[in-house]
């Protein structure tokens, strides 16, 4: 028996757990699933002979370390800030590590030690980051092999609600970690456009959202994602004039979110007392309220929109214009907003989500300029087995299988940009209807 240790049984873990449990008898695996919530683990794992639930506080070193010491492979779907605890233990006990999260500065400090220990710490092995890297590199390598010279690379990805379940003013429902949605774009974004480096602040990101056409779906809005420039060397495209990674949303979401940022409601630095504080008073903490105007009129005046506008309807939908009391004790604005979104933008059991990813690559071959689109649309089954859970979890499961079958030779701190990883992972993902279509102009 080979022992797989999985930390985290939340929204993104559902399809990964299914994959590990289904493969366990054939592959001779035993899977230990760790979460603080025992009932959640049992709901996801059922009564499989091949699974052990472990309800522990992951910050408890004495409970965590013996589990890592017994594992052959560790997968972490913990909140990003907690990965480093697991990473340090994996280094200490010489265990390989897989996670869907971005490489962070703390684990970057361990890079030499990971390499010297002959371990593989594969980060960014989910959807975005993850499938984006693998699918992009497959296309880039294919173009370059045929003598193509790439001069523009744009990559877009978004977790959206499926059109049939798109029934609220925000055109959005939560299919993953709500805190990540609230804090998205806090650090602004940097990318390269026609040879110039562009930098956008958090406030500008959603204000300037542009649209692209997705085959079969129509127009979606996008905003640049984090620091695109950091990936130019990973993709070996350091010298091209245009390079951007971006997040997709329905256009209405970006307009509404720009207003939420303008109201200061995504700030996570300062706590305020919410007992006896109404939602309207909280939402208008930076607004000079005129008592002679209605709540809608005050808000509309501040945001410079009509009181019957779509944005006011969105804020009403979140309950920000009513006199209800928050009563959550001391909280940051971001934490209050997260609480509201988890209540108002929740997926209903029959709702379906959707993942959309597209790479737009321009290149020249034999003096002919070509634009290529490589795109993927994945539909969820319901509110549990979501497209998000499939596309985040399955790459991790497939990679775990390849590693335990000793088909992967790469070591060190890595992201999945090499053919020995992306070819078999993308091939098996097609069995789950996760595949790319291509078109050329």
């Amino acid at each position: 028996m080979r022992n797989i240790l999985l930390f985290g049984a939340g929204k993104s873990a559902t399809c990964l757990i299914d994959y590990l449990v289904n493969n366990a008898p054939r592959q001779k695996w035993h899977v230990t699933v760790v979460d603080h919530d025992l009932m959640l683990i049992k709901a996801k794992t059922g009564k499989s002979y091949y699974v052990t639930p472990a309800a522990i506080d992951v910050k408890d070193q004495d409970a965590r370390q013996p589990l890592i010491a017994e594992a052959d492979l560790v997968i972490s779907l913990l909140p990003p800030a907690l990965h480093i605890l697991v990473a340090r233990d994996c280094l200490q006990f010489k265990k390989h590590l897989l996670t869907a999260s971005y490489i962070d500065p703390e684990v970057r400090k361990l890079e030499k030690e990971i390499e010297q220990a002959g371990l593989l710490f594969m980060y960014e092995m989910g959807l975005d980051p993850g499938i984006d890297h693998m699918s992009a590199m497959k296309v880039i390598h294919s173009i370059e092999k045929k003598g193509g010279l790439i001069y523009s690379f744009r990559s877009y990805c978004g977790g959206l609600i499926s059109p049939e379940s798109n029934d609220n003013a925000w055109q959005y429902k939560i299919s993953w970690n709500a805190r990540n949605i609230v804090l998205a774009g806090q650090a602004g974004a940097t990318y390269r456009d026609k040879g110039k480096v562009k930098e956008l602040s958090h406030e500008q990101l959603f204000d300037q959202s542009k649209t692209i056409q997705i085959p079969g779906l129509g127009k979606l809005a996008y905003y640049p994602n984090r620091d695109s420039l950091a990936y130019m060397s990973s993709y070996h495209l350091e010298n091209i004039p245009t390079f951007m990674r971006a997040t997709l949303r329905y256009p209405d979401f970006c307009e509404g979110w720009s207003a939420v940022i303008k109201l200061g409601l995504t700030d996570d630095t300062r706590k305020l007392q919410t007992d006896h504080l109404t939602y309207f008073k909280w939402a208008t903490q930076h607004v000079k309220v005129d008592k002679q105007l209605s709540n809608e009129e005050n808000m509309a005046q501040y945001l410079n929109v009509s009181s019957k506008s779509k944005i006011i309807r969105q804020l009403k939908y979140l309950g920000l214009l009513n006199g209800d009391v928050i009563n959550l004790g001391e909280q940051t604005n971001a934490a209050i907003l997260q609480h509201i979104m988890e209540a108002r933008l929740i997926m209903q059991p029959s709702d379906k989500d959707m993942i959309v990813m597209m790479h737009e690559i321009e290149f020249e071959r034999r003096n002919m300029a070509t634009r290529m689109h490589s795109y993927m649309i994945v539909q969820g089954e319901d509110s549990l087995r979501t497209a998000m859970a499939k596309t985040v979890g399955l790459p991790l499961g497939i990679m775990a299988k390849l590693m335990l079958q000793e088909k992967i030779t790469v070591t060190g701190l890595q992201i999945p940009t090499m053919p020995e990883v992306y070819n078999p992972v993308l091939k098996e993902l097609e069995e789950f209807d996760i595949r790319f279509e291509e078109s050329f102009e």
Side-chain angles (χ1 to χ4, degrees):
M1 278 283 186
R2 309 297 295 279
N3 291 318
I4 298 175
L5 177 61
L6 169 62
F7 285 99
K11 281 188 172 76
S12 299
T14 311
C15 296
L16 170 59
I17 291 170
D18 288 349
Y19 183 90
L20 297 177
V21 170
N22 292 339
N23 276 272
R26 234 181 3 264
Q27 300 293 336
K28 296 188 168 56
W29 293 342
H30 190 85
V31 184
T32 302
V33 181
V34 177
D35 199 278
H36 64 89
D37 185 340
L38 182 61
M39 297 312 291
L40 179 64
I41 302 172
K42 287 185 170 177
K44 299 269 174 109
T45 59
K47 293 179 177 171
S48 173
Y49 165 78
Y50 297 92
V51 178
T52 300
I56 67 163
D57 176 357
V58 76
K59 293 177 185 166
D60 180 349
Q61 183 175 304
D62 293 337
R64 184 184 71 239
Q65 287 192 337
L67 293 171
I68 291 175
E70 288 171 19
D72 291 294
L73 177 70
V74 179
I75 306 173
S76 178
L77 278 176
L78 294 168
L82 297 175
H83 289 313
I84 192 63
L85 300 177
V86 175
R88 288 187 186 122
D89 287 350
C90 284
L91 189 55
Q92 182 182 334
F93 296 108
K94 304 247 182 306
K95 307 297 176 184
H96 300 300
L97 173 64
L98 291 175
T99 178
S101 289
Y102 287 99
I103 290 180
D104 61 78
E106 287 303 302
V107 79
R108 187 64 83 188
K109 293 174 189 169
L110 306 176
E111 192 166 7
K112 274 189 182 159
E113 293 174 69
I114 296 164
E115 184 64 65
Q116 286 163 358
L119 295 171
L120 175 56
F121 280 27
M122 183 63 81
Y123 271 60
E124 307 191 14
M125 191 68 209
L127 164 67
D128 173 12
I131 292 175
D132 55 350
H133 298 327
M134 292 186 280
S135 53
M137 290 312 298
K138 188 177 181 185
V139 173
I140 290 165
H141 285 153
S142 168
I143 291 169
E144 290 174 343
K145 204 181 254 182
K146 292 170 187 162
L149 193 66
I150 295 169
Y151 56 86
S152 174
F153 174 90
R154 295 185 180 95
S155 181
Y156 311 88
C157 182
L160 306 161
I161 196 70
S162 192
E164 70 219 67
S165 303
N166 187 2
D167 57 12
N168 69 47
W170 281 90
Q171 298 196 312
Y172 193 79
K173 291 183 186 179
I174 293 167
S175 59
W176 61 306
N177 188 327
R179 181 169 170 79
N180 290 355
I181 297 160
V182 170
L183 299 181
Q186 292 267 352
T190 310
Y191 61 100
R192 189 185 286 177
D193 184 44
K194 294 174 184 163
K196 290 183 179 170
V197 172
K198 301 282 181 87
E199 292 185 26
L200 295 178
S201 67
H202 184 215
E203 291 73 25
Q204 292 171 309
L205 268 189
F206 296 89
D207 210 20
Q208 300 192 356
S209 60
K210 300 179 176 73
T211 60
I212 56 160
Q213 196 77 19
I214 304 289
L217 275 180
K219 278 185 182 172
L220 289 179
Y222 68 87
Y223 61 90
N225 186 5
R226 296 178 177 238
D227 180 10
S228 293
L229 305 186
Y231 288 94
M232 294 181 79
S233 57
S234 304
Y235 288 14
H236 304 293
L237 295 174
E238 295 95 331
N239 301 314
I240 69 171
T242 296
F243 189 98
M244 181 184 69
R245 288 160 48 84
T247 298
L248 294 172
R249 292 283 181 263
Y250 287 115
D252 284 5
F253 178 89
C254 289
E255 287 181 48
W257 202 251
S258 185
V260 165
I261 292 170
K262 190 175 179 185
L263 290 166
L265 305 184
T266 60
D267 177 65
D268 199 38
T269 55
R270 190 177 55 86
K271 286 192 172 181
L272 63 158
Q273 178 54 251
T274 67
D275 295 343
H276 314 299
L277 179 69
T278 67
Y279 282 103
F280 179 67
K281 193 140 191 209
W282 168 68
T284 54
Q285 57 193 280
H286 303 298
V287 179
K288 195 174 178 184
V289 174
D290 184 338
K291 294 277 195 298
Q292 293 177 356
L293 298 177
S294 70
N295 290 357
E296 285 92 336
E297 287 166 335
N298 270 299
M299 188 65 89
Q301 203 172 67
Y302 179 73
L303 295 172
N304 200 23
V305 296
S306 151
S307 59
K308 291 183 169 59
S309 72
K310 182 169 46 186
I311 288 171
I312 297 302
R313 282 203 311 276
Q314 289 174 316
L315 298 180
K316 263 178 115 168
Y317 187 85
L318 293 182
L320 302 190
L321 303 183
N322 66 36
D324 295 352
V325 177
I326 300 173
N327 278 343
L328 291 173
E330 273 206 354
Q331 300 288 348
T332 64
N333 285 334
I336 300 164
L337 185 58
Q338 180 183 336
H339 171 78
I340 294 165
M341 289 181 72
E342 285 172 334
R344 304 283 175 137
L345 298 179
I346 190 169
M347 283 182 70
Q348 299 306 314
S350 61
D351 278 340
K352 294 179 180 178
D353 72 327
M354 175 176 71
I355 298 296
V356 180
M357 184 179 287
M358 184 161 85
H359 306 303
E360 187 177 54
I361 302 174
E362 294 176 32
F363 62 96
E364 194 173 289
R365 182 170 168 254
R366 295 181 186 155
N367 294 326
M368 187 187 285
T370 303
R371 181 184 293 125
M372 175 199 195
H373 290 111
S374 176
Y375 65 94
M376 166 190 94
I377 300 172
V378 181
Q379 299 278 355
E381 293 171 33
D382 51 38
S383 62
L384 186 62
R385 282 169 180 82
T386 59
M388 182 67 78
K390 275 169 75 171
T391 50
V392 171
L394 289 172
L396 288 164
I398 296 166
M399 186 65 182
K401 183 170 74 174
L402 292 168
M403 287 171 69
L404 291 174
Q405 289 175 342
E406 298 179 357
K407 290 181 178 172
I408 303 292
T409 57
V410 66
T411 58
L413 177 61
Q414 303 286 354
I415 65 171
T417 55
M418 56 289 290
E420 71 171 287
V421 171
Y422 68 64
N423 279 326
V425 174
L426 291 174
K427 189 177 178 200
E428 189 169 339
L429 283 174
E430 291 192 357
E431 295 173 23
F432 297 91
D433 286 329
I434 298 171
R435 58 169 60 84
F436 284 78
E437 305 288 335
E438 293 179 358
S439 67
F440 295 85
E441 297 166 38

